[in-house]
Amino acid sequence: MAHINPSGDQELIERWRDQPASLLPLLHAFHDRDGYLSDDALRAVASGLRIPIADLYGTVTFYHHFARVKGGKARPRVCDGPVCKLQGCDELIVGLDGATAMPCAGRCDGPIPVLQDDEVLIGTQPGALTAAPPLVPPPNPGGIDECVFAEVRDPRRKTLAGYRESGGYRALSRAVREMTPEQVLDVVSGSGLTGRGGASFPTALKWRAVREAGGGPKTVVCNADEGEPGCFQDRVLMDLDPHAILEGMTLAAFATGATRGFIYLRYEYPATQGVLETAIEEARAAELLGTSVLGTELTFDIHVRRGAGAYICGEETSLLNSLEGKHPFPRNRPPYPVTNGFEGTPTAVNNVETLASVPPIVDRGAEWYAGLGAGEHKGTKIISLSGDVARPGNYEVPIGIPLKTVLYDWAGGAPEGRTVQAVTMAGLSGGFLGAEDIEEATLDEPSMRARGSLLGAGGVMVFDDSRDMVEIARQAMSFFAHESCGKCFPCRIGTQRLTERLAGVAGPKEPELWKAEVEDIGRTMAAVSACGLGVAAPGITGSLMRLFPEQVDAHVNGQRK
Amino acid sequence: MSSDGSSNGSSNGSPTLTLDGKVVPFETGETLYEVARRHTSDVPTLCYDERLEAFGACRLCVVEIEGFRSPVASCTTHAAHGMNVQTKTEKLEKHRKTLMELVCSENPRGVEIDPMRGHASQEMTDLAQRYAVDGTRFEGAQSGQSHPDDPNPMILRDYDHCISCYRCVRVCAEQEGDYAISIANRGFQTQITTEFNGFLKGSECTFCGQCVQTCPTGALADNRALQHTREPGEVELTRSICPFCGVGCSVDIMSKGDKLVGVRPAMDGPANEGALCVKGQFGWEWVQHPERLKNPMVRKDGVLVEASWDEALDRAAEGFRRVRDTHGRHAIYGVASGRAPHESAFSVQKFIRAGFGTNQIDNCSRA
Ligand SMILES: Cc1cc2nc3c(=O)[nH]c(=O)nc-3n(C[C@H](O)[C@H](O)[C@H](O)COP(=O)(O)O)c2cc1C
Ligand code: SF4
Ligand code: SF4
Ligand code: SF4
């Protein structure tokens, strides 16, 4: 037999061809081997997986992080998210040889992250970048009972042994040995747990729909794409508590009847992939995953799939297309993933935080979790707090707690000598809240929706009174324009036009006409866009015009400071 | 998930819904767009081609359904029994106008497009007129990069006019099965491309022209027909059948005066439903080529000269006879032209079998 180069094209193709969701890992294998994706590599992948070459070429160009020129993968990518802008990322990009910008990379609570090959460095000065440590949340400032953060500060929690010591896998072993799937569904339903990834859909309802759907094999997907600027809670959970996510997914599998699982991990978290894969290996070795979980009839395994840089791939149907190797446009719904998900099979797509909440809920009971909420609200939510705030970081809060309690009492409010001008909600997807709302709002969906906003994935970015809100809005809109998938007209063109108007490079020079244009575009985007990105984006301009009309007028009149 | 296929029949069997105040029946599985179009309401669209899977890009076909928070795209929403659907409210018309203003703003020249470009090339222009949009509102950057340098004489790739409806990409994949073109980049940077952004001739393209004929803006254009733009006269369309092969694709022949200036597939052609191949679509110039044979020719002393049909047929018969007499009947081999329809192909085999007594009969399309 001819000698085979251990990482020759054919080897790589054979390694992945028959694996589930094979396109992304195969592309990464070539990308890692060569430091970019060459034409030859794409041709080899196309013929190896029998994908039309034009389709593959188009799909590869969709992703921000696949380099198409030699040496491209090693070039530094500097986060230019809204908070890193405040920290001077633009100078860092200029100062770093060959550096380019990347959208928010999910470390808004520390120095600017720089992705270089498969390493994340942090810093603000070109010569002084250091390795990025996992960030451990501070003890709960409210002294409040937590769910997902209760044990994460213990460094042993990351290993299987440590996880088990603090009660890990107790819920799973009880579920598979003593409970029926129906009983698990009842507990999750009673807890009031809703999706923490943005849409707040009741988790048990989703799982029941998958359980009752015909056909299979059924699938559980953990959505770890965390692309929303200002959100960095899923990263912390995965880095510090990987087994909680695996256990949550396995409980989901037990409840829904799913046999295969995927974790769709964003490209920007390279170290996290290793953490998850190590945990999966530990779990397989301990029969917590595999063909007979804990000696029972439950069969379930988990595969990690790394994304390649596309916020829209956090949208669940776009994510499924990406996993399947298709062009990652969102799908038309119905049908929904619960009946027609991964490769058309019934699929539960759940967020990291949602899944990590499940083991403690099954372990400690529905009433316990429901009781963690404030007032009539149930449960907790992690809030990622960043920007002009004394103590940025992740805080697990009772749902329904006043925003100002978290912002001022827990996180210390604006820096010395400054006041809070505005905060964003749901990362960017909830638009801005101004001083009045900050005073009155509570952290729950009804309160946020009443203010035209969203709690969503829980990212809150703070901007003090020195900030130019039109410029902040421009950055936000240019993020949405950069990430618009291009499938539908209102968002593809609308995000571009709104960005141009906020940048002052196009559009009327008369405030009333300017506002009429921006309002008309926003209204149509919000009403008829094909997915949540285009629906949410005009929340930025809408709230900007409502809260800061003088700044908008000054901008249009060319009188900005 | 309320509308998910729950189109249970009404008491008398066929399900119904209320469309702009009128109760209308529909068939299970139909989309709201299909139902609406059947009942004369003129719901606008730019990304729809009835032969393709509904895609939901342009959002112009949005309708209001009672009980739904936002309008939905009628092309991707299945009709359900009891739905109350409005297709033309003031709100919807305002959204449509804004959408047209947006799409014309990236394409202001798109409001005047030479109809010679292709079958669907006026769709965008017509809608711009209907909504009185001229491309000046929402001005800003333009999307799409043209490929005027693509060295092929048939398809003009004028992506300055492209509005990213992806009908071309979808028709190439779903109808032609060639997957020659695809979508590069995303958002406003989206660009129709071939593999590695090369020329069509180096791609999987078979030059069937289907992408040209479905393009609603003329961004993809029939370059052969465009050569005749400046010639005087109105274009007249004549329904005919493509003469190239036995499939019998329906075509609309474009002529100016008595000059052939182009061919278009008939979208309602029963054999082709808007499809043609490169020959039928682009290979018509021989019709009026100066060297085209118009009379039978026979060779006299080694030179081809015009002859009457009688003389030519006699000469052919004599040739057949000579071969049979000298080499036997099995020296004759009949190959029917792939362009021959059934009846002619039948006559050829009859001629060979009955006339010469051999079964050596074939068809050139067999390969
Ligand atoms: C543009 C867009 C981006 C999204 N990004 C994410 C994401 O990064 N992570 C996530 O969990 N959900 C994201 N979602 C929400 C998912 O579509 C989906 O609702 C969620 O993963 C379901 O899980 P959950 O019910 O546990 O929240 C996004 C939605 C949209 C519209
Ligand atoms: S709203 Fe934006 S991101 Fe969503 S489908 Fe439309 S273009 Fe794509
Ligand atoms: S001419 Fe035919 S094969 Fe070529 S790109 Fe167009 S549809 Fe595809
Ligand atoms: S070239 Fe024509 S058919 Fe293709 S996407 Fe552009 S406008 Fe649509």
Side-chain angles (χ1 to χ4, degrees):
Chain A
M1 210 176 102
H3 173 75
I4 299 176
N5 177 346
S7 55
D9 291 3
Q10 223 38 50
E11 273 283 294
L12 296 181
I13 289 164
E14 264 150 43
R15 159 79 182 82
W16 288 107
R17 186 170 43 206
D18 300 322
Q19 297 293 312
S22 57
L23 177 63
L24 278 173
L26 183 55
L27 286 172
H28 280 303
F30 279 89
H31 199 231
D32 292 344
R33 185 193 69 182
D34 301 339
Y36 76 118
L37 284 174
S38 65
D39 290 3
D40 285 346
L42 293 190
R43 286 187 204 284
V45 171
S47 76
L49 298 187
R50 299 170 156 273
I51 302 172
I53 182 69
D55 274 10
L56 182 64
Y57 168 76
T59 298
V60 163
T61 63
F62 187 94
Y63 295 103
H64 183 77
H65 283 296
F66 277 137
R68 291 278 295 120
V69 293
K70 215 173 183 144
K73 182 175 177 246
R75 290 197 195 139
R77 290 121 204 242
V78 180
C79 176
D80 79 339
V83 175
C84 288
K85 280 271 192 211
L86 305 179
Q87 301 196 57
C89 64
D90 291 338
E91 292 87 78
L92 188 57
I93 294 170
V94 174
L96 271 180
D97 206 26
T100 52
M102 67 175 162
C104 181
R107 290 190 73 98
C108 322
D109 51 343
I112 302 167
V114 178
L115 183 63
Q116 197 155 7
D117 236 327
D118 284 331
E119 205 183 354
V120 177
L121 304 170
I122 52 170
T124 46
Q125 299 302 320
L129 299 179
T130 57
L135 291 165
V136 181
N140 190 294
I144 282 167
D145 209 4
E146 294 175 318
C147 173
V148 284
F149 275 179
E151 307 290 342
V152 292
R153 298 171 189 93
D154 178 352
R156 286 171 308 167
R157 184 79 174 173
K158 207 166 150 175
T159 63
L160 177 57
Y163 182 70
R164 281 188 139 151
E165 266 173 48
S166 48
Y169 288 114
R170 203 160 56 201
L172 180 65
S173 50
R174 176 149 1 109
V176 297
R177 295 204 174 109
E178 299 163 21
M179 296 169 78
T180 62
E182 269 309 317
Q183 286 171 319
V184 172
L185 287 171
D186 287 344
V187 173
V188 175
S189 169
S191 75
L193 179 67
T194 60
R196 301 298 186 231
S200 299
F201 191 82
T203 305
L205 212 56
K206 185 181 287 186
W207 290 5
R208 208 178 287 277
V210 175
R211 172 155 200 85
E212 284 164 7
K218 295 177 181 175
T219 311
V220 170
V221 176
C222 170
N223 187 343
D225 199 47
E226 192 160 62
E228 184 78 39
C231 293
F232 42 92
Q233 69 273 29
D234 293 346
R235 170 177 54 81
V236 171
L237 288 173
M238 289 186 282
D239 283 347
L240 302 180
D241 208 4
H243 282 286
I245 291 135
L246 307 188
E247 188 180 0
M249 289 179 73
T250 313
L251 283 163
F254 179 69
T256 58
T259 52
R260 59 184 174 188
F262 296 100
I263 301 177
Y264 188 92
L265 177 68
R266 72 180 305 204
Y267 183 86
E268 293 82 349
Y269 295 166
T272 308
Q273 182 170 10
V275 173
L276 291 169
E277 274 168 353
T278 305
I280 289 171
E281 270 157 39
E282 283 182 312
R284 281 183 190 145
E287 293 195 351
L288 292 156
L289 287 174
T291 47
S292 170
V293 172
L294 290 167
T296 68
E297 281 176 9
L298 179 64
T299 292
F300 184 62
D301 205 357
I302 299 175
H303 312 273
V304 181
R305 292 290 178 262
R306 188 182 185 190
Y311 166 61
I312 194 60
C313 289
E315 194 283 332
E316 58 188 9
T317 59
S318 165
L319 184 158
L320 292 168
N321 277 343
S322 175
L323 270 183
E324 290 179 20
K326 296 187 179 140
H327 203 79
F329 283 154
R331 299 176 181 172
N332 298 317
R333 285 153 299 170
Y336 293 89
V338 290
T339 53
N340 296 62
F342 178 70
E343 293 179 346
T345 65
T347 301
V349 182
N350 279 114
N351 167 257
V352 170
E353 186 186 341
T354 313
L355 289 163
S357 306
V358 173
I361 289 173
V362 173
D363 187 36
R364 303 181 67 174
E367 290 75 37
W368 165 77
Y369 183 77
L372 296 179
E376 79 274 26
H377 300 287
K378 295 178 177 176
T380 66
K381 173 80 194 88
I382 305 178
I383 300 296
S384 297
L385 204 56
S386 62
D388 296 320
V389 62
R391 289 185 292 279
N394 282 308
Y395 297 95
E396 183 170 359
V397 312
I399 291 184
I401 193 177
L403 169 57
K404 64 178 177 187
T405 306
V406 178
L407 182 56
Y408 294 106
D409 303 349
W410 294 22
E416 199 57 50
R418 293 267 160 225
T419 55
V420 174
Q421 181 176 203
V423 301
T424 67
M425 292 304 304
L428 289 174
S429 293
F432 300 113
L433 291 187
E436 197 175 311
D437 286 332
I438 294 170
E439 210 38 51
E440 291 164 7
T442 51
L443 291 168
D444 53 81
E445 287 300 356
S447 169
M448 288 301 153
R449 282 178 198 274
R451 290 165 171 79
S453 184
L454 287 173
L455 184 59
V460 176
M461 292 183 279
V462 185
F463 298 97
D464 71 26
D465 55 346
S466 71
R467 305 298 180 186
D468 175 348
M469 292 312 295
V470 177
E471 168 57 15
I472 306 287
R474 181 201 64 79
Q475 291 165 17
M477 197 55 71
S478 83
F479 167 80
F480 286 124
H482 186 262
E483 300 301 323
S484 165
C485 78
K487 175 179 175 173
C488 75
F489 289 16
C491 168
R492 177 175 60 80
I493 313 170
T495 52
Q496 169 75 19
R497 292 291 177 260
L498 292 179
T499 305
E500 291 164 347
R501 274 142 191 77
L502 291 164
V505 298
K509 297 281 169 234
E510 207 276 297
E512 289 319 305
L513 287 177
W514 191 96
K515 284 184 213 168
E517 280 203 356
V518 170
E519 258 162 30
D520 280 354
I521 295 171
R523 188 184 315 110
T524 293
M525 284 174 71
V528 308
S529 288
C531 89
L533 192 156
V535 171
I540 290 289
T541 37
S543 55
L544 176 78
M545 290 190 290
R546 198 169 61 243
L547 296 168
F548 307 107
E550 309 81 28
Q551 292 190 43
V552 170
D553 286 354
H555 161 66
V556 182
N557 290 326
Q559 297 158 343
R560 239 157 91 192
K561 284 174 279 181
Chain B
M1 285 168 227
S2 54
S3 70
D4 190 1
S6 54
S7 41
N8 306 321
S10 65
S11 49
N12 64 7
S14 155
T16 60
L17 55 77
T18 309
L19 187 75
D20 296 327
K22 253 191 9 223
V23 176
V24 300
F26 65 91
E27 273 162 45
T28 306
E30 274 190 302
T31 64
L32 288 179
Y33 182 78
E34 289 166 329
V35 179
R37 200 182 41 176
R38 205 153 22 77
H39 291 91
T40 73
S41 91
D42 53 344
V43 177
T45 168
L46 280 173
C47 70
Y48 189 80
D49 177 326
E50 65 180 334
R51 300 165 300 164
L52 306 177
E53 238 177 82
F55 190 69
C58 75
R59 317 308 285 176
L60 284 161
C61 74
V62 286
V63 296
E64 284 170 10
I65 305 175
E66 195 177 277
F68 281 51
R69 236 186 314 149
S70 300
V72 300
S74 61
C75 68
T76 58
T77 306
H78 283 273
H81 182 63
M83 269 182 175
N84 187 358
V85 181
Q86 295 283 341
T87 68
K88 214 173 178 174
T89 65
E90 204 178 306
K91 248 194 210 157
L92 289 173
E93 286 294 289
K94 172 90 172 128
H95 287 313
R96 288 171 184 153
K97 179 161 177 130
T98 303
L99 287 167
M100 285 310 297
E101 285 171 335
L102 280 168
V103 73
C104 288
S105 77
E106 64 159 350
N107 194 6
R109 292 186 303 131
V111 291
E112 268 172 53
I113 287 287
D114 189 333
M116 299 288 267
R117 283 182 177 239
H119 171 80
S121 64
Q122 302 308 298
E123 285 185 19
M124 162 106 163
T125 310
D126 291 348
L127 277 183
Q129 266 160 20
R130 171 163 152 195
Y131 286 96
V133 167
D134 62 5
T136 51
R137 194 159 188 240
F138 305 147
E139 51 106 14
Q142 306 292 292
S143 69
Q145 261 185 344
S146 279
H147 259 291
D149 56 336
D150 193 306
N152 83 79
M154 295 168 271
I155 298 178
L156 179 68
R157 302 171 72 196
D158 194 2
Y159 297 123
D160 288 350
H161 294 289
C162 176
I163 57 171
S164 299
C165 69
Y166 313 128
R167 278 162 71 165
C168 54
V169 175
R170 293 180 286 134
V171 85
C172 187
E174 292 176 36
Q175 291 290 110
E176 184 64 5
D178 273 344
Y179 300 89
I181 48 179
S182 63
I183 306 159
N185 310 323
R186 63 188 187 209
F188 203 69
Q189 266 59 52
T190 292
Q191 172 75 43
I192 304 303
T193 186
T194 59
E195 57 195 75
F196 308 110
N197 198 21
F199 296 135
L200 280 177
K201 74 173 190 263
S203 76
E204 299 291 316
C205 175
T206 60
F207 292 95
C208 69
Q210 296 201 63
C211 51
V212 168
Q213 304 300 351
T214 193
C215 178
T217 63
L220 295 172
D222 177 344
N223 221 355
R224 285 254 152 92
L226 271 183
Q227 306 308 313
H228 299 276
T229 285
R230 283 178 206 294
E231 276 161 36
E234 290 290 300
V235 173
E236 200 183 323
L237 295 180
T238 309
R239 179 59 57 94
S240 186
I241 301 287
C242 174
F244 268 110
C245 83
V247 169
C249 294
S250 300
V251 294
D252 287 324
I253 297 193
M254 300 159 69
S255 56
K256 279 185 177 180
D258 51 11
K259 186 156 189 189
L260 176 56
V261 295
V263 168
R264 264 182 202 169
M267 293 297 151
D268 56 353
N272 57 317
E273 293 178 347
L276 286 177
C277 75
V278 59
K279 292 183 290 178
Q281 175 63 72
F282 294 113
W284 47 266
E285 285 185 321
W286 53 271
V287 171
Q288 47 212 13
H289 197 281
E291 285 171 29
R292 179 178 170 186
L293 292 182
K294 292 181 178 136
N295 297 289
M297 308 280 279
V298 299
R299 212 173 287 276
K300 286 183 176 158
D301 302 326
V303 182
L304 277 173
V305 293
E306 263 184 32
S308 69
W309 278 108
D310 276 347
E311 188 185 359
L313 289 170
D314 282 350
R315 186 71 85 81
E318 185 191 312
F320 275 119
R321 247 186 237 115
R322 194 175 58 243
V323 169
R324 185 196 57 192
D325 294 348
T326 7
H327 302 284
R329 59 194 167 109
H330 293 305
I332 307 275
Y333 174 45
V335 185
S337 166
R339 293 170 59 173
H342 256 313
E343 295 77 1
S344 310
F346 180 83
S347 309
V348 173
Q349 67 83 31
K350 193 93 184 163
F351 172 65
I352 299 293
R353 285 201 171 108
F356 299 99
T358 177
N359 281 327
Q360 294 183 152
I361 174 73
D362 211 334
N363 187 289
C364 80
S365 301
R366 192 172 62 113

Short mmCIF file of all heavy atoms in Angstrom, two decimals, chain A residues 94-114:
data_model
loop_
_atom_site.label_atom_id
_atom_site.label_comp_id
_atom_site.label_asym_id
_atom_site.label_seq_id
_atom_site.Cartn_x
_atom_site.Cartn_y
_atom_site.Cartn_z
N VAL A 94 -4.66 48.98 14.26
CA VAL A 94 -3.63 49.66 13.48
C VAL A 94 -2.25 49.23 13.94
O VAL A 94 -1.33 49.02 13.13
CB VAL A 94 -3.79 51.21 13.62
CG1 VAL A 94 -2.65 51.93 12.94
CG2 VAL A 94 -5.13 51.64 13.04
N GLY A 95 -2.08 49.04 15.25
CA GLY A 95 -0.77 48.73 15.80
C GLY A 95 -0.31 47.29 15.60
O GLY A 95 0.88 47.00 15.65
N LEU A 96 -1.23 46.39 15.38
CA LEU A 96 -0.87 44.97 15.25
C LEU A 96 -0.68 44.62 13.78
O LEU A 96 -1.58 44.82 12.97
CB LEU A 96 -1.98 44.08 15.81
CG LEU A 96 -1.95 43.72 17.29
CD1 LEU A 96 -3.16 42.83 17.59
CD2 LEU A 96 -0.68 42.99 17.66
N ASP A 97 0.46 44.05 13.47
CA ASP A 97 0.78 43.72 12.10
C ASP A 97 -0.26 42.76 11.49
O ASP A 97 -0.50 41.69 12.02
CB ASP A 97 2.17 43.05 12.08
CG ASP A 97 2.83 43.25 10.73
OD1 ASP A 97 2.48 44.25 10.06
OD2 ASP A 97 3.67 42.41 10.35
N GLY A 98 -0.83 43.18 10.38
CA GLY A 98 -1.75 42.30 9.64
C GLY A 98 -3.09 42.09 10.30
O GLY A 98 -3.86 41.23 9.88
N ALA A 99 -3.38 42.87 11.34
CA ALA A 99 -4.63 42.62 12.09
C ALA A 99 -5.85 43.13 11.35
O ALA A 99 -5.79 44.11 10.62
CB ALA A 99 -4.54 43.28 13.46
N THR A 100 -6.97 42.43 11.54
CA THR A 100 -8.25 42.89 11.03
C THR A 100 -9.26 42.83 12.18
O THR A 100 -8.99 42.23 13.22
CB THR A 100 -8.77 42.02 9.88
OG1 THR A 100 -8.74 40.66 10.32
CG2 THR A 100 -7.92 42.17 8.64
N ALA A 101 -10.39 43.46 11.96
CA ALA A 101 -11.43 43.48 12.99
C ALA A 101 -12.27 42.22 12.93
O ALA A 101 -12.45 41.63 11.87
CB ALA A 101 -12.33 44.70 12.80
N MET A 102 -12.77 41.79 14.09
CA MET A 102 -13.81 40.75 14.11
C MET A 102 -14.94 41.25 14.99
O MET A 102 -14.72 42.04 15.91
CB MET A 102 -13.25 39.43 14.64
CG MET A 102 -12.87 39.44 16.11
SD MET A 102 -12.37 37.80 16.68
CE MET A 102 -11.48 38.24 18.19
N PRO A 103 -16.17 40.80 14.72
CA PRO A 103 -17.28 41.22 15.56
C PRO A 103 -17.10 40.70 16.99
O PRO A 103 -16.30 39.78 17.22
CB PRO A 103 -18.49 40.56 14.90
CG PRO A 103 -18.04 40.16 13.54
CD PRO A 103 -16.58 39.94 13.62
N CYS A 104 -17.85 41.27 17.90
CA CYS A 104 -17.76 40.96 19.34
C CYS A 104 -17.41 39.50 19.60
O CYS A 104 -18.08 38.58 19.16
CB CYS A 104 -19.07 41.28 20.03
SG CYS A 104 -19.01 40.94 21.81
N ALA A 105 -16.30 39.29 20.33
CA ALA A 105 -15.81 37.93 20.55
C ALA A 105 -16.13 37.42 21.94
O ALA A 105 -15.53 36.45 22.40
CB ALA A 105 -14.31 37.88 20.27
N GLY A 106 -17.05 38.08 22.64
CA GLY A 106 -17.57 37.51 23.88
C GLY A 106 -16.66 37.60 25.08
O GLY A 106 -16.68 36.72 25.94
N ARG A 107 -15.85 38.65 25.17
CA ARG A 107 -15.08 38.88 26.40
C ARG A 107 -15.19 40.36 26.78
O ARG A 107 -14.19 41.02 27.08
CB ARG A 107 -13.61 38.52 26.20
CG ARG A 107 -13.34 37.04 26.06
CD ARG A 107 -11.85 36.75 26.10
NE ARG A 107 -11.29 36.90 27.43
CZ ARG A 107 -11.07 35.88 28.27
NH1 ARG A 107 -11.34 34.66 27.93
NH2 ARG A 107 -10.56 36.11 29.46
N CYS A 108 -16.39 40.86 26.83
CA CYS A 108 -16.60 42.30 27.03
C CYS A 108 -16.27 42.75 28.44
O CYS A 108 -16.24 43.94 28.71
CB CYS A 108 -18.05 42.67 26.72
SG CYS A 108 -18.73 41.78 25.33
N ASP A 109 -16.05 41.79 29.36
CA ASP A 109 -15.80 42.16 30.75
C ASP A 109 -14.31 42.25 31.06
O ASP A 109 -13.91 42.30 32.22
CB ASP A 109 -16.46 41.16 31.70
CG ASP A 109 -16.12 39.71 31.37
OD1 ASP A 109 -15.63 39.45 30.23
OD2 ASP A 109 -16.33 38.83 32.21
N GLY A 110 -13.46 42.27 30.02
CA GLY A 110 -12.03 42.38 30.28
C GLY A 110 -11.36 43.13 29.16
O GLY A 110 -12.03 43.76 28.34
N PRO A 111 -10.01 43.06 29.11
CA PRO A 111 -9.29 43.73 28.02
C PRO A 111 -9.71 43.16 26.67
O PRO A 111 -10.33 42.10 26.59
CB PRO A 111 -7.83 43.42 28.33
CG PRO A 111 -7.80 43.00 29.76
CD PRO A 111 -9.12 42.40 30.06
N ILE A 112 -9.31 43.83 25.62
CA ILE A 112 -9.74 43.47 24.25
C ILE A 112 -9.22 42.08 23.86
O ILE A 112 -8.02 41.83 23.96
CB ILE A 112 -9.20 44.51 23.25
CG1 ILE A 112 -9.71 45.91 23.64
CG2 ILE A 112 -9.60 44.16 21.82
CD1 ILE A 112 -9.00 47.04 22.91
N PRO A 113 -10.07 41.19 23.44
CA PRO A 113 -9.59 39.89 22.97
C PRO A 113 -9.06 39.94 21.53
O PRO A 113 -9.63 40.63 20.68
CB PRO A 113 -10.82 38.99 23.05
CG PRO A 113 -11.98 39.91 22.96
CD PRO A 113 -11.55 41.25 23.48
N VAL A 114 -7.98 39.23 21.31
CA VAL A 114 -7.38 39.13 19.98
C VAL A 114 -7.25 37.64 19.67
O VAL A 114 -6.63 36.90 20.42
CB VAL A 114 -5.98 39.78 19.94
CG1 VAL A 114 -5.34 39.61 18.56
CG2 VAL A 114 -6.07 41.25 20.33
#
